[in-house]
Amino acid sequence: MFMAKITKTRFAPSPTGIMHIGNLRSALYEYLIARSEGGKFLLRIEDTDRERYVEGAVEAIYRTLDVCGLHHDEGPDIGGPNGPYVQSERLHLYSEYADQLVASGHAYPCFCSVERLADMWEDEETEFIGYDRRCRDIDPAIAAHRVAAGEPHVIRQRMPLDGETTFSDEVYGVITVMNQELEDQILIKSDGYPTYNFANVIDDHLMEITHVVRGSEYLSSTPKYCILYDAFGWEIPTFVHLPLIVGEDGKKLSKRHGSTSFEELVKDGYLPEAIINMIAFLGWAPGGETREIFSLDELEKIFSAKGINKAPAVFAYDKLNWMNEQYIRRLPFEKWRAMVKEIADPLFDEKKYDVDTLAHVLRERVTKLSDIPEMIRFLTERLPYERELFFNKRAKLDADSASVILNELRPKLETVAVWDETTLSALLGQACEETGRKKGQVMGALRVALAAQRVTSGGATETAMILGREEALARLAAAIDYLKG
RNA sequence: GGCCCGUUGGUCAAGUGGUUAAGACACCGCCCUUUCAAGGCGGAGUCACGAGUUCAAUUCUCGUACGGGUCACCA
């Protein structure tokens, strides 16, 4: 009797720098495939390249996964049944398995120097594919002797010279390649570390990964991994290769497309939830569903590898902007208020202001957090007035009529008892009735007087609220003064 | 260059051997409105091309073009 194997995926980043959007999306899909099938998601650090190791990169990985809610079930920080989860701590395993392949004839030591290889690449004449296999046929006994004598070497995979290899990918379908196209790739480097090409197979098998999910750039090396699995007699996992994410010019996403790392986007003012939602829909869509706003919890329920596309997807900031707006509007008010406060406090410095109204006004207008300072600049500093600011065709307003209106308004506002929305609103409404003016005229004049800006976040009463009585009256006086002269 | 993969509006995309080929972003217009937004309503815009299979191809097959990936002691 067989137990259905539990789905297990892994996110296996190398600590070589920032958490790129492409990496994050791989992590997300890996997480979702596991969760959608009630399986496990694990984290493995692939630090076999000592030269590209970046200090702090591992911490950034933990941090990002955590704020995105992609919690793993096994990993370096929490352990698990198949540890260690850091490749540099698994070195002995790789060499054992490599020895096994050498013994079975599936691999061989290669003594070629990097210099010789470099020369070889320069030789345009030769039409060989990759390494010229010079060491492939050294007598095993002699090779073993040279290795024992301490001669520098790498271990290479002995590829079949004929036949073909076929595998099936969940996204790309059945793929077949001629074995003669495959290079005798390096499995163990001369420093004793495994290459990705070797370590991923060993670890995925040992860690019982059922679904190998990764970017489509690995598609062309997958046949080599299949041959490795076969050499060990291991079951080949399900492959799920993901389409690439490209920039708006169709080229691979890079710095010149703007912010492409998770942390940069957050710094730009995008909410992690919006970023996750955005990249979930890059190259994937739930069939027969037109909604596009999904929380991570909801994605876990509806995600299916079936909906993954093959074609590269363009990362569009327009759409991200929209998503972010949607998420901002759905935020619990208290949370949103706290975000606004954190940004606005230092800008208002010592000055008092009405955070609640500001947060309220900003909520429907902000695209990303980093827009806020510029949007509220007119509140934190007094901008210079210009007569034409008061001109509004529709309200039939101009500087002269504004001057009259503001003078009428001033005494009323100065004596208002309670400085709050309802009182101000009522007072202004009343003023319109008394003078027979249109509301748009009065409101418009006051709004510009308070803001010194044509386009503002919020209307006249809201601006008056945010500024507070003292500042609002001071600005009103300043406006009147300006219009007089 | 070899090999591999891809191609539904500007972008993300649903979908099918017979459909008026969904929806979203962006764009345009209107409404609402105390400005700007938000919101509501509406509009324009797509099956890369050429053969073949078929009563019928966007859908299946083969070519072409274009795009991408990969050919490291990087992952």
Side-chain angles (χ1 to χ4, degrees):
Chain A
M1 188 179 187
F2 295 101
M3 292 285 289
K5 220 196 262 180
I6 183 168
T7 297
K8 211 166 166 186
T9 61
R10 107 266 110 140
F11 176 48
S14 55
T16 52
I18 56 167
M19 184 77 141
H20 192 268
I21 284 301
N23 291 142
L24 219 212
R25 198 203 36 177
S26 293
L28 175 62
Y29 284 22
E30 283 149 7
Y31 174 87
L32 290 174
I33 286 173
R35 290 285 177 266
S36 67
E37 297 181 14
K40 297 217 179 296
F41 170 63
L42 68 88
L43 174 65
R44 177 173 78 221
I45 302 297
E46 308 216 326
D47 59 346
T48 56
D49 187 344
R50 297 163 311 154
E51 287 174 16
R52 291 205 305 156
Y53 185 84
V54 172
E55 206 65 45
V58 177
E59 287 66 34
I61 290 166
Y62 286 139
R63 212 162 44 230
T64 302
L65 291 181
D66 190 54
V67 300
C68 290
L70 306 181
H71 304 301
H72 49 281
D73 301 300
E74 298 173 30
D77 50 342
I78 55 176
N82 302 301
Y85 294 90
V86 178
Q87 289 188 328
S88 59
E89 294 168 20
R90 300 168 65 79
L91 260 27
H92 62 286
L93 283 167
Y94 308 121
S95 51
E96 268 172 39
Y97 283 104
D99 288 347
Q100 196 179 314
L101 287 184
V102 171
S104 65
H106 292 286
Y108 61 92
C110 167
F111 305 96
C112 293
S113 66
V114 288
E115 291 76 20
R116 184 181 102 69
L117 295 177
D119 287 349
M120 194 177 68
W121 305 136
E122 277 173 28
D123 248 348
E124 296 287 335
E125 313 300 308
T126 42
E127 283 185 12
F128 58 80
I129 313 293
Y131 174 57
D132 65 2
R133 296 172 168 157
R134 175 177 288 201
C135 296
R136 182 174 165 117
D137 296 316
I138 294 175
D139 183 273
I142 295 174
H145 194 74
R146 289 170 69 176
V147 168
E151 189 171 340
H153 66 283
V154 300
I155 304 293
R156 285 186 186 272
Q157 184 177 3
R158 190 191 303 273
M159 290 296 173
L161 267 14
D162 49 28
E164 52 187 42
T165 297
T166 295
F167 68 96
S168 175
D169 182 87
E170 286 290 281
V171 175
Y172 291 90
V174 176
I175 293 174
T176 300
V177 297
M178 305 295 285
N179 289 152
Q180 57 189 350
E181 300 290 338
L182 307 176
E183 186 190 9
D184 280 6
Q185 64 176 349
I186 292 175
L187 268 19
I188 303 284
K189 303 182 239 183
S190 57
D191 62 4
Y193 278 66
T195 57
Y196 166 84
N197 297 134
F198 190 51
N200 92 79
V201 170
I202 305 297
D203 288 343
D204 284 342
H205 175 260
L206 260 25
M207 294 178 182
E208 299 170 317
I209 302 303
T210 60
H211 293 64
V212 171
V213 185
R214 52 162 71 123
S216 63
E217 64 266 30
Y218 291 99
L219 214 43
S220 51
S221 339
T222 299
K224 298 185 229 177
Y225 309 148
C226 290
I227 292 172
L228 240 22
Y229 280 101
D230 284 343
F232 284 116
W234 293 341
E235 187 185 344
I236 292 176
T238 299
F239 293 115
V240 184
H241 285 95
L242 274 19
L244 234 59
I245 296 178
V246 297
E248 263 146 6
D249 56 1
K251 298 278 194 301
K252 197 169 175 175
L253 203 59
S254 69
K255 308 102 239 146
R256 75 201 149 80
H257 294 111
S259 304
T260 55
S261 80
F262 176 76
E263 296 198 328
E264 277 174 330
L265 288 173
V266 170
K267 211 168 124 198
D268 276 356
Y270 294 102
L271 304 178
E273 294 81 356
I275 298 171
I276 287 291
N277 197 152
M278 171 72 191
I279 61 181
F281 277 75
L282 264 189
W284 173 84
E289 164 77 71
T290 59
R291 184 161 63 115
E292 296 195 38
I293 300 294
F294 283 89
S295 68
L296 187 61
D297 280 350
E298 293 171 319
L299 287 172
E300 287 175 27
K301 294 188 184 77
I302 63 159
F303 192 85
S304 160
K306 294 232 181 317
I308 300 175
N309 274 306
K310 297 180 177 70
V314 174
F315 186 85
Y317 289 89
D318 274 344
K319 187 90 174 220
L320 210 214
N321 285 340
W322 174 78
M323 284 254 175
N324 208 48
E325 289 166 0
Q326 299 304 307
Y327 275 86
I328 284 175
R329 284 173 209 139
R330 277 154 221 246
L331 240 29
F333 185 76
E334 277 312 308
K335 210 168 166 182
W336 170 242
R337 181 186 181 280
M339 290 179 179
V340 171
K341 190 172 190 308
E342 195 182 324
I343 295 169
D345 270 356
L347 296 172
F348 277 95
D349 202 13
E350 296 297 290
K351 277 178 258 166
K352 275 192 167 168
Y353 71 104
D354 181 345
V355 200
D356 286 328
T357 304
L358 181 62
H360 174 73
V361 156
L362 250 24
R363 198 199 253 278
E364 302 292 300
R365 283 165 244 259
V366 171
T367 293
K368 49 190 204 284
L369 266 23
S370 56
D371 295 339
I372 294 179
E374 194 48 41
M375 289 176 78
I376 66 175
R377 212 162 68 86
F378 74 97
L379 293 169
T380 59
E381 321 172 5
R382 290 196 193 172
L383 272 23
Y385 290 107
E386 278 169 46
R387 293 186 73 81
E388 65 155 22
L389 281 174
F390 290 89
F391 180 77
N392 185 307
K393 191 176 177 191
R394 214 168 119 193
K396 293 204 173 76
L397 184 73
D398 60 25
D400 293 329
S401 52
S403 179
V404 175
I405 291 168
L406 294 176
N407 273 302
E408 288 168 3
L409 241 35
R410 167 127 85 145
K412 292 188 177 22
L413 286 169
E414 278 173 343
T415 56
V416 68
V418 193
W419 196 264
D420 68 13
E421 177 74 38
T422 33
T423 313
L424 290 175
S425 206
L427 182 136
L428 290 168
Q430 198 186 329
C432 290
E433 275 178 36
E434 282 174 14
T435 57
R437 295 187 195 286
K438 304 196 74 157
K439 219 172 171 186
Q441 270 186 320
V442 174
M443 297 299 226
L446 180 57
R447 189 175 55 78
V448 174
L450 296 177
Q453 184 164 291
R454 191 186 306 274
V455 175
T456 57
S457 315
T461 56
E462 286 156 333
T463 304
M465 290 290 303
I466 295 164
L467 291 173
R469 178 189 197 124
E470 196 185 335
E471 177 69 12
L473 289 176
R475 289 187 180 200
L476 177 57
I480 287 171
D481 200 48
Y482 169 81
L483 289 171
K484 209 188 300 171

